[in-house]
Amino acid sequence: MNYEKSIIRSGINDVSPDCNAQATQTSATKSKSVTSIKVADLPKAITDNIAKDYAGFSIKEATSVTKNNIMTYHVVIVKETTTETLVYNKDGKLAKILLEKEGKHHSSKQNSK
């Protein structure tokens, strides 16, 4: 499943690749809330990590996800034909990587750092 489809299933119907758009959309289910955020609003630890460990990638979009009172940041990065979703905890530390697969669900790779 690609990232955009998972957001649409969460209830956000207008997915814009422009993270710097002025509108913020929030979707809430029983125990999960997804909010689009601006790249500029990401914690510095996240943008520093991407610049250091993912040189050449650009940030396509970012969301904050709150599930069971635990907030994480989901950041979609792209480089040519490669798309990955990085999941960071509330302190900006990389928690896991969701790898994009053609026509398949994300697979999860836990961060071993």
Side-chain angles (χ1 to χ4, degrees), residues 3-40:
Y3 190 72
E4 287 82 3
K5 286 183 182 173
S6 68
I7 290 176
I8 291 171
R9 285 188 183 158
S10 297
I12 298 174
N13 293 318
D14 181 23
V15 178
S16 172
D18 181 8
C19 295
N20 295 317
Q22 294 300 314
T24 298
Q25 297 178 352
T26 301
S27 170
T29 59
K30 198 171 195 177
S31 63
K32 183 176 179 181
S33 169
V34 179
T35 303
S36 295
I37 59 174
K38 298 177 189 178
V39 173

